[in-house]
Amino acid sequence: MNFDKTAAYFDLSGKVVLVTGGSRGLGLAMCRGFADAGATVVVSSRKQDACDAAAAAIAGETGQPCVGIACHVGDWDACDALVEAVYERYGRIDVLVNNAGMSPLYPSLTSVTRELWDKVSAVNLAGPFRLSAVVGERMAAGEGGSIINVSSIAAVSPTPHEVPYGTAKAGLNNLTESIARAYAPKVRCNCIMPGPFATDIARAWTPEVVAAFESMVPLGRVGEPQEVVGAALFLASDAGSYTNGAILKIDGGAAYN
């Protein structure tokens, strides 16, 4: 096997990758994967100290440049400021990963307030729209690039327990296909649609919740964070150069849609 030739398909050397929600969970795993592939990574999340800690750890592990820049993606002014900060520092964004998300618990549908609905929609859908529009326009005017949205199987297998979240993620799937057409041919936009993963949120899962997930997933287990990295590298790199507008389900077979 020609390892060098195979690795070249996924090489991100010289690329600048911006990942929202990058300080933990799937976002952090993707940041590490991008750095391992040679990219300069910008880790963004709401808290600057979390961004700095993640960036320092990634730089120490991989030897690649990595910086943290805080941003609340539900705030469009903050989104614009984030993009400006990255361009001011590096002069480009080659890959944008809209990974930030939130799904607050609620006791009943009637208890969902307008404030909660708006907050979930802002982070999971409105923010990715703004970042995709601003970054996509610059990519299209420059050397092109790749936008990766991170959705959820809640978008296609909805439950009463995550209605605002699932609705927003369904919108994100639609946004993916819209952006894929809006900024082509120089910009590709695709979506990773994960199922249950053993990220930091899994610490709150009861044994009953774990058993339920295991029973619904044909592979019989939840995913590990590093299992999203291959898909992210494929969509970010030349390996996925003819993939545009795709929704890639990574859920062990849990969702039928």
Side-chain angles (χ1 to χ4, degrees):
M1 179 176 178
N2 190 325
F3 289 99
D4 290 338
K5 188 174 182 179
T6 301
Y9 288 110
F10 301 91
D11 184 17
L12 295 176
S13 298
K15 304 295 186 181
V16 176
V17 181
L18 168 60
V19 182
T20 68
S23 64
R24 63 181 186 175
L26 297 184
L28 180 58
M30 287 187 281
C31 286
R32 287 193 169 107
F34 293 137
D36 281 334
T40 294
V41 179
V42 179
V43 180
S44 185
S45 66
R46 289 191 64 178
K47 297 181 179 180
Q48 186 63 50
D49 57 347
C51 295
D52 291 339
I58 292 168
E61 293 166 6
T62 67
Q64 287 296 118
C66 191
V67 65
I69 303 177
C71 176
H72 175 25
V73 299
D75 180 341
W76 280 16
D77 289 339
C79 289
D80 291 355
L82 171 63
V83 175
E84 288 298 329
V86 178
Y87 271 87
E88 182 177 347
R89 187 177 187 111
Y90 296 113
R92 61 191 296 142
I93 296 175
D94 299 290
V95 180
L96 166 66
V97 182
N98 288 310
N99 172 69
M102 63 180 301
S103 182
L105 298 175
Y106 50 84
S108 67
L109 291 178
T110 53
S111 72
V112 174
T113 64
R114 181 59 187 266
E115 180 183 10
L116 185 150
W117 181 274
D118 289 347
K119 183 183 295 185
V120 172
S121 297
V123 172
N124 291 289
L125 181 57
F129 164 75
R130 182 60 181 176
L131 287 170
S132 295
V134 174
V135 175
E137 187 173 86
R138 292 202 185 197
M139 286 178 170
E143 297 179 15
S146 172
I147 297 173
I148 303 171
N149 294 320
V150 180
S151 179
S152 165
I153 60 170
V156 297
S157 296
T159 74
H161 308 296
E162 48 191 4
V163 173
Y165 176 76
T167 302
K169 290 302 191 183
L172 189 60
N173 286 4
N174 182 281
L175 176 67
T176 297
E177 299 185 27
S178 299
I179 296 296
R181 292 176 176 272
Y183 296 117
K186 295 177 72 174
V187 180
R188 297 181 295 111
C189 183
N190 296 286
C191 183
I192 293 172
M193 191 164 65
F197 273 78
T199 60
D200 50 298
I201 197 173
R203 300 189 194 106
W205 291 350
T206 64
E208 292 76 17
V209 169
V210 174
F213 280 139
E214 291 174 347
S215 67
M216 70 177 273
V217 177
L219 290 186
R221 62 178 179 84
V222 299
E224 294 297 328
Q226 65 269 18
E227 291 182 295
V228 77
V229 174
L233 289 177
F234 168 71
L235 295 176
S237 68
D238 287 345
S241 58
Y242 198 58
T243 303
N244 189 34
I247 313 292
L248 181 55
K249 183 166 66 77
I250 306 178
D251 66 345
Y256 288 96
N257 298 59

PDB file of all heavy atoms in Angstrom, residues 192-231:
ATOM      1  N   ILE A 192     -22.532  16.552   8.057  1.00  0.00           N
ATOM      2  CA  ILE A 192     -22.392  15.323   8.835  1.00  0.00           C
ATOM      3  C   ILE A 192     -23.589  15.235   9.772  1.00  0.00           C
ATOM      4  O   ILE A 192     -23.895  16.193  10.490  1.00  0.00           O
ATOM      5  CB  ILE A 192     -21.080  15.335   9.645  1.00  0.00           C
ATOM      6  CG1 ILE A 192     -19.876  15.272   8.709  1.00  0.00           C
ATOM      7  CG2 ILE A 192     -21.047  14.181  10.641  1.00  0.00           C
ATOM      8  CD1 ILE A 192     -18.545  15.466   9.408  1.00  0.00           C
ATOM      9  N   MET A 193     -24.281  14.107   9.755  1.00  0.00           N
ATOM     10  CA  MET A 193     -25.476  13.926  10.579  1.00  0.00           C
ATOM     11  C   MET A 193     -25.229  12.805  11.593  1.00  0.00           C
ATOM     12  O   MET A 193     -25.471  11.634  11.323  1.00  0.00           O
ATOM     13  CB  MET A 193     -26.685  13.605   9.692  1.00  0.00           C
ATOM     14  CG  MET A 193     -28.011  13.662  10.421  1.00  0.00           C
ATOM     15  SD  MET A 193     -29.438  13.749   9.302  1.00  0.00           S
ATOM     16  CE  MET A 193     -29.331  12.161   8.476  1.00  0.00           C
ATOM     17  N   PRO A 194     -24.728  13.150  12.780  1.00  0.00           N
ATOM     18  CA  PRO A 194     -24.376  12.114  13.769  1.00  0.00           C
ATOM     19  C   PRO A 194     -25.590  11.562  14.507  1.00  0.00           C
ATOM     20  O   PRO A 194     -26.614  12.232  14.672  1.00  0.00           O
ATOM     21  CB  PRO A 194     -23.457  12.856  14.751  1.00  0.00           C
ATOM     22  CG  PRO A 194     -23.210  14.207  14.153  1.00  0.00           C
ATOM     23  CD  PRO A 194     -24.354  14.475  13.242  1.00  0.00           C
ATOM     24  N   GLY A 195     -25.406  10.339  14.997  1.00  0.00           N
ATOM     25  CA  GLY A 195     -26.329   9.755  15.956  1.00  0.00           C
ATOM     26  C   GLY A 195     -25.763   9.944  17.353  1.00  0.00           C
ATOM     27  O   GLY A 195     -25.024  10.897  17.607  1.00  0.00           O
ATOM     28  N   PRO A 196     -26.065   9.028  18.275  1.00  0.00           N
ATOM     29  CA  PRO A 196     -25.544   9.166  19.642  1.00  0.00           C
ATOM     30  C   PRO A 196     -24.042   8.899  19.718  1.00  0.00           C
ATOM     31  O   PRO A 196     -23.560   7.892  19.207  1.00  0.00           O
ATOM     32  CB  PRO A 196     -26.338   8.113  20.428  1.00  0.00           C
ATOM     33  CG  PRO A 196     -26.753   7.106  19.404  1.00  0.00           C
ATOM     34  CD  PRO A 196     -26.965   7.870  18.138  1.00  0.00           C
ATOM     35  N   PHE A 197     -23.338   9.816  20.354  1.00  0.00           N
ATOM     36  CA  PHE A 197     -21.896   9.696  20.529  1.00  0.00           C
ATOM     37  C   PHE A 197     -21.539   9.873  21.998  1.00  0.00           C
ATOM     38  O   PHE A 197     -22.182  10.646  22.716  1.00  0.00           O
ATOM     39  CB  PHE A 197     -21.140  10.746  19.698  1.00  0.00           C
ATOM     40  CG  PHE A 197     -20.832  10.322  18.293  1.00  0.00           C
ATOM     41  CD1 PHE A 197     -21.815  10.348  17.315  1.00  0.00           C
ATOM     42  CD2 PHE A 197     -19.557   9.887  17.951  1.00  0.00           C
ATOM     43  CE1 PHE A 197     -21.537   9.961  16.017  1.00  0.00           C
ATOM     44  CE2 PHE A 197     -19.269   9.482  16.663  1.00  0.00           C
ATOM     45  CZ  PHE A 197     -20.255   9.520  15.685  1.00  0.00           C
ATOM     46  N   ALA A 198     -20.497   9.188  22.408  1.00  0.00           N
ATOM     47  CA  ALA A 198     -20.044   9.231  23.806  1.00  0.00           C
ATOM     48  C   ALA A 198     -19.142  10.438  24.033  1.00  0.00           C
ATOM     49  O   ALA A 198     -17.950  10.303  24.302  1.00  0.00           O
ATOM     50  CB  ALA A 198     -19.328   7.937  24.169  1.00  0.00           C
ATOM     51  N   THR A 199     -19.718  11.634  23.900  1.00  0.00           N
ATOM     52  CA  THR A 199     -18.984  12.852  24.194  1.00  0.00           C
ATOM     53  C   THR A 199     -19.163  13.192  25.672  1.00  0.00           C
ATOM     54  O   THR A 199     -19.702  12.394  26.437  1.00  0.00           O
ATOM     55  CB  THR A 199     -19.491  14.001  23.316  1.00  0.00           C
ATOM     56  OG1 THR A 199     -20.884  14.214  23.581  1.00  0.00           O
ATOM     57  CG2 THR A 199     -19.306  13.664  21.842  1.00  0.00           C
ATOM     58  N   ASP A 200     -18.726  14.380  26.069  1.00  0.00           N
ATOM     59  CA  ASP A 200     -18.825  14.752  27.479  1.00  0.00           C
ATOM     60  C   ASP A 200     -20.264  14.754  27.983  1.00  0.00           C
ATOM     61  O   ASP A 200     -20.510  14.526  29.173  1.00  0.00           O
ATOM     62  CB  ASP A 200     -18.202  16.135  27.703  1.00  0.00           C
ATOM     63  CG  ASP A 200     -18.734  17.166  26.726  1.00  0.00           C
ATOM     64  OD1 ASP A 200     -18.533  16.983  25.522  1.00  0.00           O
ATOM     65  OD2 ASP A 200     -19.356  18.136  27.178  1.00  0.00           O
ATOM     66  N   ILE A 201     -21.237  14.968  27.094  1.00  0.00           N
ATOM     67  CA  ILE A 201     -22.640  14.959  27.505  1.00  0.00           C
ATOM     68  C   ILE A 201     -23.084  13.579  27.976  1.00  0.00           C
ATOM     69  O   ILE A 201     -24.037  13.432  28.738  1.00  0.00           O
ATOM     70  CB  ILE A 201     -23.542  15.451  26.347  1.00  0.00           C
ATOM     71  CG1 ILE A 201     -24.923  15.834  26.874  1.00  0.00           C
ATOM     72  CG2 ILE A 201     -23.657  14.400  25.250  1.00  0.00           C
ATOM     73  CD1 ILE A 201     -25.819  16.476  25.829  1.00  0.00           C
ATOM     74  N   ALA A 202     -22.359  12.548  27.536  1.00  0.00           N
ATOM     75  CA  ALA A 202     -22.724  11.183  27.897  1.00  0.00           C
ATOM     76  C   ALA A 202     -22.523  10.902  29.384  1.00  0.00           C
ATOM     77  O   ALA A 202     -23.062   9.917  29.912  1.00  0.00           O
ATOM     78  CB  ALA A 202     -21.916  10.185  27.061  1.00  0.00           C
ATOM     79  N   ARG A 203     -21.759  11.755  30.060  1.00  0.00           N
ATOM     80  CA  ARG A 203     -21.564  11.554  31.503  1.00  0.00           C
ATOM     81  C   ARG A 203     -22.885  11.644  32.265  1.00  0.00           C
ATOM     82  O   ARG A 203     -23.014  11.081  33.355  1.00  0.00           O
ATOM     83  CB  ARG A 203     -20.582  12.591  32.057  1.00  0.00           C
ATOM     84  CG  ARG A 203     -19.192  12.550  31.422  1.00  0.00           C
ATOM     85  CD  ARG A 203     -18.227  13.449  32.179  1.00  0.00           C
ATOM     86  NE  ARG A 203     -17.013  13.691  31.426  1.00  0.00           N
ATOM     87  CZ  ARG A 203     -16.717  14.823  30.815  1.00  0.00           C
ATOM     88  NH1 ARG A 203     -17.551  15.856  30.892  1.00  0.00           N
ATOM     89  NH2 ARG A 203     -15.590  14.963  30.139  1.00  0.00           N
ATOM     90  N   ALA A 204     -23.854  12.343  31.701  1.00  0.00           N
ATOM     91  CA  ALA A 204     -25.148  12.502  32.369  1.00  0.00           C
ATOM     92  C   ALA A 204     -26.128  11.388  32.016  1.00  0.00           C
ATOM     93  O   ALA A 204     -27.228  11.341  32.566  1.00  0.00           O
ATOM     94  CB  ALA A 204     -25.761  13.860  32.001  1.00  0.00           C
ATOM     95  N   TRP A 205     -25.735  10.500  31.121  1.00  0.00           N
ATOM     96  CA  TRP A 205     -26.637   9.420  30.726  1.00  0.00           C
ATOM     97  C   TRP A 205     -26.770   8.380  31.837  1.00  0.00           C
ATOM     98  O   TRP A 205     -25.770   7.943  32.413  1.00  0.00           O
ATOM     99  CB  TRP A 205     -26.125   8.721  29.472  1.00  0.00           C
ATOM    100  CG  TRP A 205     -26.185   9.563  28.227  1.00  0.00           C
ATOM    101  CD1 TRP A 205     -26.800  10.768  28.072  1.00  0.00           C
ATOM    102  CD2 TRP A 205     -25.588   9.242  26.961  1.00  0.00           C
ATOM    103  NE1 TRP A 205     -26.623  11.233  26.797  1.00  0.00           N
ATOM    104  CE2 TRP A 205     -25.887  10.322  26.089  1.00  0.00           C
ATOM    105  CE3 TRP A 205     -24.830   8.172  26.498  1.00  0.00           C
ATOM    106  CZ2 TRP A 205     -25.450  10.324  24.773  1.00  0.00           C
ATOM    107  CZ3 TRP A 205     -24.395   8.185  25.179  1.00  0.00           C
ATOM    108  CH2 TRP A 205     -24.713   9.254  24.329  1.00  0.00           C
ATOM    109  N   THR A 206     -27.990   7.967  32.104  1.00  0.00           N
ATOM    110  CA  THR A 206     -28.228   6.878  33.049  1.00  0.00           C
ATOM    111  C   THR A 206     -27.999   5.547  32.337  1.00  0.00           C
ATOM    112  O   THR A 206     -27.989   5.494  31.097  1.00  0.00           O
ATOM    113  CB  THR A 206     -29.667   6.928  33.574  1.00  0.00           C
ATOM    114  OG1 THR A 206     -30.563   6.693  32.471  1.00  0.00           O
ATOM    115  CG2 THR A 206     -29.977   8.280  34.215  1.00  0.00           C
ATOM    116  N   PRO A 207     -27.817   4.456  33.069  1.00  0.00           N
ATOM    117  CA  PRO A 207     -27.684   3.144  32.423  1.00  0.00           C
ATOM    118  C   PRO A 207     -28.869   2.822  31.509  1.00  0.00           C
ATOM    119  O   PRO A 207     -28.693   2.167  30.472  1.00  0.00           O
ATOM    120  CB  PRO A 207     -27.609   2.181  33.607  1.00  0.00           C
ATOM    121  CG  PRO A 207     -27.040   2.999  34.719  1.00  0.00           C
ATOM    122  CD  PRO A 207     -27.606   4.379  34.519  1.00  0.00           C
ATOM    123  N   GLU A 208     -30.045   3.302  31.882  1.00  0.00           N
ATOM    124  CA  GLU A 208     -31.226   3.062  31.056  1.00  0.00           C
ATOM    125  C   GLU A 208     -31.126   3.788  29.711  1.00  0.00           C
ATOM    126  O   GLU A 208     -31.524   3.241  28.675  1.00  0.00           O
ATOM    127  CB  GLU A 208     -32.489   3.517  31.800  1.00  0.00           C
ATOM    128  CG  GLU A 208     -32.859   2.685  33.021  1.00  0.00           C
ATOM    129  CD  GLU A 208     -31.984   2.985  34.238  1.00  0.00           C
ATOM    130  OE1 GLU A 208     -31.318   4.051  34.242  1.00  0.00           O
ATOM    131  OE2 GLU A 208     -31.961   2.152  35.152  1.00  0.00           O
ATOM    132  N   VAL A 209     -30.594   5.006  29.745  1.00  0.00           N
ATOM    133  CA  VAL A 209     -30.424   5.768  28.506  1.00  0.00           C
ATOM    134  C   VAL A 209     -29.402   5.081  27.602  1.00  0.00           C
ATOM    135  O   VAL A 209     -29.608   4.941  26.393  1.00  0.00           O
ATOM    136  CB  VAL A 209     -29.984   7.212  28.823  1.00  0.00           C
ATOM    137  CG1 VAL A 209     -29.548   7.934  27.550  1.00  0.00           C
ATOM    138  CG2 VAL A 209     -31.117   7.974  29.499  1.00  0.00           C
ATOM    139  N   VAL A 210     -28.298   4.634  28.193  1.00  0.00           N
ATOM    140  CA  VAL A 210     -27.268   3.934  27.417  1.00  0.00           C
ATOM    141  C   VAL A 210     -27.849   2.673  26.782  1.00  0.00           C
ATOM    142  O   VAL A 210     -27.629   2.392  25.592  1.00  0.00           O
ATOM    143  CB  VAL A 210     -26.062   3.580  28.302  1.00  0.00           C
ATOM    144  CG1 VAL A 210     -25.062   2.725  27.518  1.00  0.00           C
ATOM    145  CG2 VAL A 210     -25.387   4.844  28.821  1.00  0.00           C
ATOM    146  N   ALA A 211     -28.613   1.919  27.567  1.00  0.00           N
ATOM    147  CA  ALA A 211     -29.221   0.687  27.057  1.00  0.00           C
ATOM    148  C   ALA A 211     -30.192   0.990  25.916  1.00  0.00           C
ATOM    149  O   ALA A 211     -30.257   0.238  24.932  1.00  0.00           O
ATOM    150  CB  ALA A 211     -29.939  -0.050  28.186  1.00  0.00           C
ATOM    151  N   ALA A 212     -30.931   2.092  26.036  1.00  0.00           N
ATOM    152  CA  ALA A 212     -31.876   2.461  24.977  1.00  0.00           C
ATOM    153  C   ALA A 212     -31.151   2.801  23.696  1.00  0.00           C
ATOM    154  O   ALA A 212     -31.562   2.379  22.602  1.00  0.00           O
ATOM    155  CB  ALA A 212     -32.727   3.645  25.439  1.00  0.00           C
ATOM    156  N   PHE A 213     -30.058   3.553  23.821  1.00  0.00           N
ATOM    157  CA  PHE A 213     -29.273   3.878  22.633  1.00  0.00           C
ATOM    158  C   PHE A 213     -28.703   2.614  21.994  1.00  0.00           C
ATOM    159  O   PHE A 213     -28.744   2.437  20.771  1.00  0.00           O
ATOM    160  CB  PHE A 213     -28.137   4.835  22.985  1.00  0.00           C
ATOM    161  CG  PHE A 213     -28.551   6.272  23.115  1.00  0.00           C
ATOM    162  CD1 PHE A 213     -28.037   7.068  24.120  1.00  0.00           C
ATOM    163  CD2 PHE A 213     -29.441   6.834  22.222  1.00  0.00           C
ATOM    164  CE1 PHE A 213     -28.417   8.399  24.243  1.00  0.00           C
ATOM    165  CE2 PHE A 213     -29.836   8.162  22.325  1.00  0.00           C
ATOM    166  CZ  PHE A 213     -29.318   8.943  23.343  1.00  0.00           C
ATOM    167  N   GLU A 214     -28.165   1.741  22.815  1.00  0.00           N
ATOM    168  CA  GLU A 214     -27.560   0.512  22.295  1.00  0.00           C
ATOM    169  C   GLU A 214     -28.583  -0.363  21.585  1.00  0.00           C
ATOM    170  O   GLU A 214     -28.267  -1.029  20.592  1.00  0.00           O
ATOM    171  CB  GLU A 214     -26.888  -0.247  23.430  1.00  0.00           C
ATOM    172  CG  GLU A 214     -25.654   0.458  23.975  1.00  0.00           C
ATOM    173  CD  GLU A 214     -25.057  -0.222  25.190  1.00  0.00           C
ATOM    174  OE1 GLU A 214     -25.732  -1.105  25.770  1.00  0.00           O
ATOM    175  OE2 GLU A 214     -23.926   0.116  25.567  1.00  0.00           O
ATOM    176  N   SER A 215     -29.815  -0.338  22.064  1.00  0.00           N
ATOM    177  CA  SER A 215     -30.853  -1.171  21.447  1.00  0.00           C
ATOM    178  C   SER A 215     -31.341  -0.585  20.125  1.00  0.00           C
ATOM    179  O   SER A 215     -31.792  -1.319  19.244  1.00  0.00           O
ATOM    180  CB  SER A 215     -32.035  -1.350  22.408  1.00  0.00           C
ATOM    181  OG  SER A 215     -32.707  -0.119  22.614  1.00  0.00           O
ATOM    182  N   MET A 216     -31.266   0.747  19.982  1.00  0.00           N
ATOM    183  CA  MET A 216     -31.761   1.378  18.757  1.00  0.00           C
ATOM    184  C   MET A 216     -30.719   1.421  17.647  1.00  0.00           C
ATOM    185  O   MET A 216     -31.041   1.640  16.481  1.00  0.00           O
ATOM    186  CB  MET A 216     -32.242   2.810  19.057  1.00  0.00           C
ATOM    187  CG  MET A 216     -31.138   3.786  19.384  1.00  0.00           C
ATOM    188  SD  MET A 216     -31.712   5.492  19.659  1.00  0.00           S
ATOM    189  CE  MET A 216     -31.716   6.130  17.997  1.00  0.00           C
ATOM    190  N   VAL A 217     -29.449   1.198  18.002  1.00  0.00           N
ATOM    191  CA  VAL A 217     -28.369   1.271  17.018  1.00  0.00           C
ATOM    192  C   VAL A 217     -28.017  -0.144  16.550  1.00  0.00           C
ATOM    193  O   VAL A 217     -27.615  -0.984  17.360  1.00  0.00           O
ATOM    194  CB  VAL A 217     -27.115   1.946  17.623  1.00  0.00           C
ATOM    195  CG1 VAL A 217     -25.979   1.954  16.602  1.00  0.00           C
ATOM    196  CG2 VAL A 217     -27.435   3.368  18.069  1.00  0.00           C
ATOM    197  N   PRO A 218     -28.149  -0.435  15.261  1.00  0.00           N
ATOM    198  CA  PRO A 218     -27.821  -1.774  14.774  1.00  0.00           C
ATOM    199  C   PRO A 218     -26.416  -2.238  15.123  1.00  0.00           C
ATOM    200  O   PRO A 218     -26.192  -3.438  15.314  1.00  0.00           O
ATOM    201  CB  PRO A 218     -28.013  -1.651  13.259  1.00  0.00           C
ATOM    202  CG  PRO A 218     -29.090  -0.630  13.113  1.00  0.00           C
ATOM    203  CD  PRO A 218     -28.807   0.366  14.193  1.00  0.00           C
ATOM    204  N   LEU A 219     -25.448  -1.322  15.222  1.00  0.00           N
ATOM    205  CA  LEU A 219     -24.094  -1.722  15.612  1.00  0.00           C
ATOM    206  C   LEU A 219     -23.984  -2.021  17.103  1.00  0.00           C
ATOM    207  O   LEU A 219     -22.937  -2.469  17.568  1.00  0.00           O
ATOM    208  CB  LEU A 219     -23.086  -0.637  15.220  1.00  0.00           C
ATOM    209  CG  LEU A 219     -22.823  -0.472  13.720  1.00  0.00           C
ATOM    210  CD1 LEU A 219     -21.697   0.528  13.482  1.00  0.00           C
ATOM    211  CD2 LEU A 219     -22.481  -1.800  13.057  1.00  0.00           C
ATOM    212  N   GLY A 220     -25.048  -1.754  17.867  1.00  0.00           N
ATOM    213  CA  GLY A 220     -25.105  -2.160  19.262  1.00  0.00           C
ATOM    214  C   GLY A 220     -24.334  -1.295  20.232  1.00  0.00           C
ATOM    215  O   GLY A 220     -24.073  -1.708  21.363  1.00  0.00           O
ATOM    216  N   ARG A 221     -23.975  -0.092  19.836  1.00  0.00           N
ATOM    217  CA  ARG A 221     -23.212   0.786  20.725  1.00  0.00           C
ATOM    218  C   ARG A 221     -23.331   2.220  20.245  1.00  0.00           C
ATOM    219  O   ARG A 221     -23.786   2.481  19.123  1.00  0.00           O
ATOM    220  CB  ARG A 221     -21.731   0.391  20.731  1.00  0.00           C
ATOM    221  CG  ARG A 221     -21.046   0.517  19.368  1.00  0.00           C
ATOM    222  CD  ARG A 221     -19.581   0.156  19.421  1.00  0.00           C
ATOM    223  NE  ARG A 221     -18.941   0.264  18.117  1.00  0.00           N
ATOM    224  CZ  ARG A 221     -18.456   1.383  17.600  1.00  0.00           C
ATOM    225  NH1 ARG A 221     -18.558   2.522  18.285  1.00  0.00           N
ATOM    226  NH2 ARG A 221     -17.869   1.394  16.416  1.00  0.00           N
ATOM    227  N   VAL A 222     -22.930   3.164  21.107  1.00  0.00           N
ATOM    228  CA  VAL A 222     -22.844   4.557  20.687  1.00  0.00           C
ATOM    229  C   VAL A 222     -21.477   4.792  20.057  1.00  0.00           C
ATOM    230  O   VAL A 222     -20.547   4.007  20.239  1.00  0.00           O
ATOM    231  CB  VAL A 222     -23.069   5.515  21.872  1.00  0.00           C
ATOM    232  CG1 VAL A 222     -24.454   5.303  22.465  1.00  0.00           C
ATOM    233  CG2 VAL A 222     -22.001   5.345  22.929  1.00  0.00           C
ATOM    234  N   GLY A 223     -21.361   5.879  19.321  1.00  0.00           N
ATOM    235  CA  GLY A 223     -20.103   6.169  18.655  1.00  0.00           C
ATOM    236  C   GLY A 223     -19.086   6.801  19.584  1.00  0.00           C
ATOM    237  O   GLY A 223     -19.436   7.414  20.601  1.00  0.00           O
ATOM    238  N   GLU A 224     -17.825   6.662  19.245  1.00  0.00           N
ATOM    239  CA  GLU A 224     -16.746   7.342  19.947  1.00  0.00           C
ATOM    240  C   GLU A 224     -16.377   8.599  19.150  1.00  0.00           C
ATOM    241  O   GLU A 224     -16.428   8.589  17.912  1.00  0.00           O
ATOM    242  CB  GLU A 224     -15.524   6.430  20.081  1.00  0.00           C
ATOM    243  CG  GLU A 224     -15.760   5.205  20.965  1.00  0.00           C
ATOM    244  CD  GLU A 224     -16.076   5.579  22.408  1.00  0.00           C
ATOM    245  OE1 GLU A 224     -15.550   6.615  22.893  1.00  0.00           O
ATOM    246  OE2 GLU A 224     -16.855   4.858  23.046  1.00  0.00           O
ATOM    247  N   PRO A 225     -16.016   9.696  19.835  1.00  0.00           N
ATOM    248  CA  PRO A 225     -15.781  10.961  19.134  1.00  0.00           C
ATOM    249  C   PRO A 225     -14.833  10.856  17.943  1.00  0.00           C
ATOM    250  O   PRO A 225     -15.074  11.488  16.905  1.00  0.00           O
ATOM    251  CB  PRO A 225     -15.213  11.866  20.232  1.00  0.00           C
ATOM    252  CG  PRO A 225     -15.845  11.348  21.490  1.00  0.00           C
ATOM    253  CD  PRO A 225     -15.915   9.854  21.303  1.00  0.00           C
ATOM    254  N   GLN A 226     -13.780  10.055  18.069  1.00  0.00           N
ATOM    255  CA  GLN A 226     -12.810   9.972  16.971  1.00  0.00           C
ATOM    256  C   GLN A 226     -13.403   9.329  15.720  1.00  0.00           C
ATOM    257  O   GLN A 226     -12.833   9.445  14.625  1.00  0.00           O
ATOM    258  CB  GLN A 226     -11.554   9.197  17.407  1.00  0.00           C
ATOM    259  CG  GLN A 226     -11.767   7.744  17.734  1.00  0.00           C
ATOM    260  CD  GLN A 226     -12.093   7.510  19.205  1.00  0.00           C
ATOM    261  OE1 GLN A 226     -12.488   8.443  19.910  1.00  0.00           O
ATOM    262  NE2 GLN A 226     -11.919   6.289  19.658  1.00  0.00           N
ATOM    263  N   GLU A 227     -14.569   8.700  15.853  1.00  0.00           N
ATOM    264  CA  GLU A 227     -15.176   8.043  14.699  1.00  0.00           C
ATOM    265  C   GLU A 227     -15.855   9.033  13.746  1.00  0.00           C
ATOM    266  O   GLU A 227     -16.340   8.629  12.687  1.00  0.00           O
ATOM    267  CB  GLU A 227     -16.166   6.982  15.161  1.00  0.00           C
ATOM    268  CG  GLU A 227     -15.474   5.789  15.818  1.00  0.00           C
ATOM    269  CD  GLU A 227     -16.426   4.691  16.249  1.00  0.00           C
ATOM    270  OE1 GLU A 227     -17.259   4.936  17.142  1.00  0.00           O
ATOM    271  OE2 GLU A 227     -16.327   3.575  15.691  1.00  0.00           O
ATOM    272  N   VAL A 228     -15.884  10.308  14.110  1.00  0.00           N
ATOM    273  CA  VAL A 228     -16.402  11.319  13.195  1.00  0.00           C
ATOM    274  C   VAL A 228     -15.280  11.922  12.337  1.00  0.00           C
ATOM    275  O   VAL A 228     -15.547  12.579  11.329  1.00  0.00           O
ATOM    276  CB  VAL A 228     -17.113  12.447  13.985  1.00  0.00           C
ATOM    277  CG1 VAL A 228     -16.106  13.396  14.639  1.00  0.00           C
ATOM    278  CG2 VAL A 228     -18.069  13.234  13.096  1.00  0.00           C
ATOM    279  N   VAL A 229     -14.038  11.677  12.712  1.00  0.00           N
ATOM    280  CA  VAL A 229     -12.906  12.360  12.080  1.00  0.00           C
ATOM    281  C   VAL A 229     -12.756  11.978  10.612  1.00  0.00           C
ATOM    282  O   VAL A 229     -12.492  12.839   9.762  1.00  0.00           O
ATOM    283  CB  VAL A 229     -11.605  12.070  12.857  1.00  0.00           C
ATOM    284  CG1 VAL A 229     -10.393  12.643  12.126  1.00  0.00           C
ATOM    285  CG2 VAL A 229     -11.689  12.660  14.260  1.00  0.00           C
ATOM    286  N   GLY A 230     -12.911  10.713  10.278  1.00  0.00           N
ATOM    287  CA  GLY A 230     -12.746  10.286   8.892  1.00  0.00           C
ATOM    288  C   GLY A 230     -13.695  11.015   7.956  1.00  0.00           C
ATOM    289  O   GLY A 230     -13.307  11.460   6.864  1.00  0.00           O
ATOM    290  N   ALA A 231     -14.942  11.142   8.376  1.00  0.00           N
ATOM    291  CA  ALA A 231     -15.936  11.838   7.554  1.00  0.00           C
ATOM    292  C   ALA A 231     -15.574  13.314   7.410  1.00  0.00           C
ATOM    293  O   ALA A 231     -15.694  13.892   6.325  1.00  0.00           O
ATOM    294  CB  ALA A 231     -17.319  11.695   8.177  1.00  0.00           C
TER     295      ALA A 231
END
